[in-house]
PDB file of all heavy atoms in Angstrom:
ATOM      1  N   GLN A  24      -6.894 -68.988 -62.693  1.00  0.00           N
ATOM      2  CA  GLN A  24      -7.281 -68.435 -61.394  1.00  0.00           C
ATOM      3  C   GLN A  24      -8.365 -67.372 -61.542  1.00  0.00           C
ATOM      4  O   GLN A  24      -9.238 -67.242 -60.673  1.00  0.00           O
ATOM      5  CB  GLN A  24      -6.061 -67.855 -60.693  1.00  0.00           C
ATOM      6  CG  GLN A  24      -5.039 -68.884 -60.287  1.00  0.00           C
ATOM      7  CD  GLN A  24      -3.810 -68.259 -59.658  1.00  0.00           C
ATOM      8  OE1 GLN A  24      -3.912 -67.272 -58.945  1.00  0.00           O
ATOM      9  NE2 GLN A  24      -2.647 -68.838 -59.938  1.00  0.00           N
ATOM     10  N   ILE A  25      -8.319 -66.607 -62.629  1.00  0.00           N
ATOM     11  CA  ILE A  25      -9.348 -65.580 -62.854  1.00  0.00           C
ATOM     12  C   ILE A  25     -10.690 -66.247 -63.134  1.00  0.00           C
ATOM     13  O   ILE A  25     -11.733 -65.791 -62.643  1.00  0.00           O
ATOM     14  CB  ILE A  25      -8.922 -64.629 -63.987  1.00  0.00           C
ATOM     15  CG1 ILE A  25      -7.696 -63.821 -63.530  1.00  0.00           C
ATOM     16  CG2 ILE A  25     -10.055 -63.701 -64.377  1.00  0.00           C
ATOM     17  CD1 ILE A  25      -7.120 -62.904 -64.581  1.00  0.00           C
ATOM     18  N   ASP A  26     -10.675 -67.322 -63.886  1.00  0.00           N
ATOM     19  CA  ASP A  26     -11.921 -68.070 -64.122  1.00  0.00           C
ATOM     20  C   ASP A  26     -12.466 -68.639 -62.821  1.00  0.00           C
ATOM     21  O   ASP A  26     -13.683 -68.685 -62.612  1.00  0.00           O
ATOM     22  CB  ASP A  26     -11.675 -69.197 -65.131  1.00  0.00           C
ATOM     23  CG  ASP A  26     -11.321 -68.660 -66.511  1.00  0.00           C
ATOM     24  OD1 ASP A  26     -11.720 -67.519 -66.824  1.00  0.00           O
ATOM     25  OD2 ASP A  26     -10.637 -69.385 -67.259  1.00  0.00           O
ATOM     26  N   ALA A  27     -11.583 -69.066 -61.934  1.00  0.00           N
ATOM     27  CA  ALA A  27     -12.027 -69.572 -60.630  1.00  0.00           C
ATOM     28  C   ALA A  27     -12.678 -68.463 -59.815  1.00  0.00           C
ATOM     29  O   ALA A  27     -13.682 -68.698 -59.122  1.00  0.00           O
ATOM     30  CB  ALA A  27     -10.843 -70.163 -59.870  1.00  0.00           C
ATOM     31  N   LEU A  28     -12.124 -67.263 -59.886  1.00  0.00           N
ATOM     32  CA  LEU A  28     -12.749 -66.136 -59.184  1.00  0.00           C
ATOM     33  C   LEU A  28     -14.143 -65.860 -59.736  1.00  0.00           C
ATOM     34  O   LEU A  28     -15.075 -65.560 -58.984  1.00  0.00           O
ATOM     35  CB  LEU A  28     -11.878 -64.880 -59.290  1.00  0.00           C
ATOM     36  CG  LEU A  28     -10.585 -64.884 -58.485  1.00  0.00           C
ATOM     37  CD1 LEU A  28      -9.734 -63.667 -58.838  1.00  0.00           C
ATOM     38  CD2 LEU A  28     -10.885 -64.891 -57.000  1.00  0.00           C
ATOM     39  N   ASP A  29     -14.294 -65.937 -61.061  1.00  0.00           N
ATOM     40  CA  ASP A  29     -15.621 -65.768 -61.674  1.00  0.00           C
ATOM     41  C   ASP A  29     -16.585 -66.847 -61.184  1.00  0.00           C
ATOM     42  O   ASP A  29     -17.745 -66.565 -60.874  1.00  0.00           O
ATOM     43  CB  ASP A  29     -15.527 -65.853 -63.204  1.00  0.00           C
ATOM     44  CG  ASP A  29     -15.034 -64.560 -63.817  1.00  0.00           C
ATOM     45  OD1 ASP A  29     -15.261 -63.488 -63.221  1.00  0.00           O
ATOM     46  OD2 ASP A  29     -14.407 -64.635 -64.896  1.00  0.00           O
ATOM     47  N   THR A  30     -16.115 -68.060 -61.098  1.00  0.00           N
ATOM     48  CA  THR A  30     -16.949 -69.172 -60.648  1.00  0.00           C
ATOM     49  C   THR A  30     -17.407 -68.980 -59.210  1.00  0.00           C
ATOM     50  O   THR A  30     -18.533 -69.335 -58.857  1.00  0.00           O
ATOM     51  CB  THR A  30     -16.174 -70.499 -60.777  1.00  0.00           C
ATOM     52  OG1 THR A  30     -15.758 -70.649 -62.133  1.00  0.00           O
ATOM     53  CG2 THR A  30     -17.031 -71.675 -60.374  1.00  0.00           C
ATOM     54  N   LEU A  31     -16.535 -68.402 -58.384  1.00  0.00           N
ATOM     55  CA  LEU A  31     -16.872 -68.171 -56.981  1.00  0.00           C
ATOM     56  C   LEU A  31     -17.670 -66.886 -56.767  1.00  0.00           C
ATOM     57  O   LEU A  31     -17.865 -66.461 -55.634  1.00  0.00           O
ATOM     58  CB  LEU A  31     -15.588 -68.115 -56.146  1.00  0.00           C
ATOM     59  CG  LEU A  31     -14.810 -69.423 -56.060  1.00  0.00           C
ATOM     60  CD1 LEU A  31     -13.462 -69.178 -55.383  1.00  0.00           C
ATOM     61  CD2 LEU A  31     -15.610 -70.448 -55.283  1.00  0.00           C
ATOM     62  N   ALA A  32     -18.109 -66.265 -57.861  1.00  0.00           N
ATOM     63  CA  ALA A  32     -18.894 -65.025 -57.816  1.00  0.00           C
ATOM     64  C   ALA A  32     -18.108 -63.873 -57.198  1.00  0.00           C
ATOM     65  O   ALA A  32     -18.677 -62.964 -56.598  1.00  0.00           O
ATOM     66  CB  ALA A  32     -20.220 -65.238 -57.093  1.00  0.00           C
ATOM     67  N   THR A  33     -16.796 -63.919 -57.344  1.00  0.00           N
ATOM     68  CA  THR A  33     -15.953 -62.805 -56.931  1.00  0.00           C
ATOM     69  C   THR A  33     -15.649 -62.001 -58.179  1.00  0.00           C
ATOM     70  O   THR A  33     -15.246 -62.549 -59.201  1.00  0.00           O
ATOM     71  CB  THR A  33     -14.628 -63.314 -56.322  1.00  0.00           C
ATOM     72  OG1 THR A  33     -14.948 -64.169 -55.235  1.00  0.00           O
ATOM     73  CG2 THR A  33     -13.775 -62.189 -55.841  1.00  0.00           C
ATOM     74  N   ARG A  34     -15.820 -60.709 -58.100  1.00  0.00           N
ATOM     75  CA  ARG A  34     -15.609 -59.873 -59.272  1.00  0.00           C
ATOM     76  C   ARG A  34     -14.117 -59.573 -59.418  1.00  0.00           C
ATOM     77  O   ARG A  34     -13.549 -58.852 -58.607  1.00  0.00           O
ATOM     78  CB  ARG A  34     -16.431 -58.612 -59.146  1.00  0.00           C
ATOM     79  CG  ARG A  34     -17.923 -58.942 -59.147  1.00  0.00           C
ATOM     80  CD  ARG A  34     -18.806 -57.862 -58.644  1.00  0.00           C
ATOM     81  NE  ARG A  34     -18.751 -56.657 -59.458  1.00  0.00           N
ATOM     82  CZ  ARG A  34     -19.419 -55.565 -59.163  1.00  0.00           C
ATOM     83  NH1 ARG A  34     -20.187 -55.519 -58.102  1.00  0.00           N
ATOM     84  NH2 ARG A  34     -19.313 -54.502 -59.922  1.00  0.00           N
ATOM     85  N   PRO A  35     -13.472 -60.111 -60.450  1.00  0.00           N
ATOM     86  CA  PRO A  35     -12.028 -59.932 -60.617  1.00  0.00           C
ATOM     87  C   PRO A  35     -11.621 -58.464 -60.756  1.00  0.00           C
ATOM     88  O   PRO A  35     -10.548 -58.077 -60.325  1.00  0.00           O
ATOM     89  CB  PRO A  35     -11.707 -60.703 -61.897  1.00  0.00           C
ATOM     90  CG  PRO A  35     -12.816 -61.662 -62.064  1.00  0.00           C
ATOM     91  CD  PRO A  35     -14.016 -61.019 -61.456  1.00  0.00           C
ATOM     92  N   MET A  36     -12.484 -57.666 -61.340  1.00  0.00           N
ATOM     93  CA  MET A  36     -12.139 -56.245 -61.500  1.00  0.00           C
ATOM     94  C   MET A  36     -11.966 -55.580 -60.136  1.00  0.00           C
ATOM     95  O   MET A  36     -11.038 -54.800 -59.934  1.00  0.00           O
ATOM     96  CB  MET A  36     -13.217 -55.506 -62.302  1.00  0.00           C
ATOM     97  CG  MET A  36     -13.314 -55.926 -63.724  1.00  0.00           C
ATOM     98  SD  MET A  36     -11.837 -55.476 -64.628  1.00  0.00           S
ATOM     99  CE  MET A  36     -12.244 -56.085 -66.224  1.00  0.00           C
ATOM    100  N   GLN A  37     -12.852 -55.879 -59.215  1.00  0.00           N
ATOM    101  CA  GLN A  37     -12.756 -55.276 -57.884  1.00  0.00           C
ATOM    102  C   GLN A  37     -11.666 -55.934 -57.045  1.00  0.00           C
ATOM    103  O   GLN A  37     -11.023 -55.277 -56.243  1.00  0.00           O
ATOM    104  CB  GLN A  37     -14.090 -55.380 -57.149  1.00  0.00           C
ATOM    105  CG  GLN A  37     -15.136 -54.431 -57.665  1.00  0.00           C
ATOM    106  CD  GLN A  37     -16.424 -54.540 -56.861  1.00  0.00           C
ATOM    107  OE1 GLN A  37     -16.670 -55.533 -56.198  1.00  0.00           O
ATOM    108  NE2 GLN A  37     -17.242 -53.504 -56.938  1.00  0.00           N
ATOM    109  N   TYR A  38     -11.461 -57.204 -57.231  1.00  0.00           N
ATOM    110  CA  TYR A  38     -10.536 -57.957 -56.395  1.00  0.00           C
ATOM    111  C   TYR A  38      -9.091 -57.846 -56.874  1.00  0.00           C
ATOM    112  O   TYR A  38      -8.166 -57.784 -56.074  1.00  0.00           O
ATOM    113  CB  TYR A  38     -10.969 -59.431 -56.355  1.00  0.00           C
ATOM    114  CG  TYR A  38     -10.182 -60.279 -55.419  1.00  0.00           C
ATOM    115  CD1 TYR A  38     -10.352 -60.188 -54.042  1.00  0.00           C
ATOM    116  CD2 TYR A  38      -9.246 -61.189 -55.902  1.00  0.00           C
ATOM    117  CE1 TYR A  38      -9.623 -60.978 -53.178  1.00  0.00           C
ATOM    118  CE2 TYR A  38      -8.511 -61.982 -55.052  1.00  0.00           C
ATOM    119  CZ  TYR A  38      -8.702 -61.870 -53.684  1.00  0.00           C
ATOM    120  OH  TYR A  38      -7.978 -62.650 -52.835  1.00  0.00           O
ATOM    121  N   LEU A  39      -8.878 -57.797 -58.183  1.00  0.00           N
ATOM    122  CA  LEU A  39      -7.525 -57.805 -58.730  1.00  0.00           C
ATOM    123  C   LEU A  39      -7.075 -56.449 -59.272  1.00  0.00           C
ATOM    124  O   LEU A  39      -5.950 -56.027 -59.037  1.00  0.00           O
ATOM    125  CB  LEU A  39      -7.420 -58.832 -59.871  1.00  0.00           C
ATOM    126  CG  LEU A  39      -7.620 -60.286 -59.517  1.00  0.00           C
ATOM    127  CD1 LEU A  39      -7.618 -61.137 -60.771  1.00  0.00           C
ATOM    128  CD2 LEU A  39      -6.540 -60.742 -58.561  1.00  0.00           C
ATOM    129  N   ILE A  40      -7.940 -55.788 -59.989  1.00  0.00           N
ATOM    130  CA  ILE A  40      -7.515 -54.609 -60.745  1.00  0.00           C
ATOM    131  C   ILE A  40      -7.642 -53.324 -59.939  1.00  0.00           C
ATOM    132  O   ILE A  40      -6.708 -52.511 -59.912  1.00  0.00           O
ATOM    133  CB  ILE A  40      -8.289 -54.545 -62.068  1.00  0.00           C
ATOM    134  CG1 ILE A  40      -7.882 -55.752 -62.906  1.00  0.00           C
ATOM    135  CG2 ILE A  40      -8.021 -53.252 -62.810  1.00  0.00           C
ATOM    136  CD1 ILE A  40      -8.648 -55.961 -64.156  1.00  0.00           C
TER     137      ILE A  40
END
Side-chain angles (χ1 to χ4, degrees):
Q24 293 177 36
I25 293 176
D26 294 335
L28 289 172
D29 281 332
T30 303
L31 294 172
T33 303
R34 296 163 63 183
M36 293 294 180
Q37 286 182 339
Y38 186 74
L39 296 174
I40 295 173

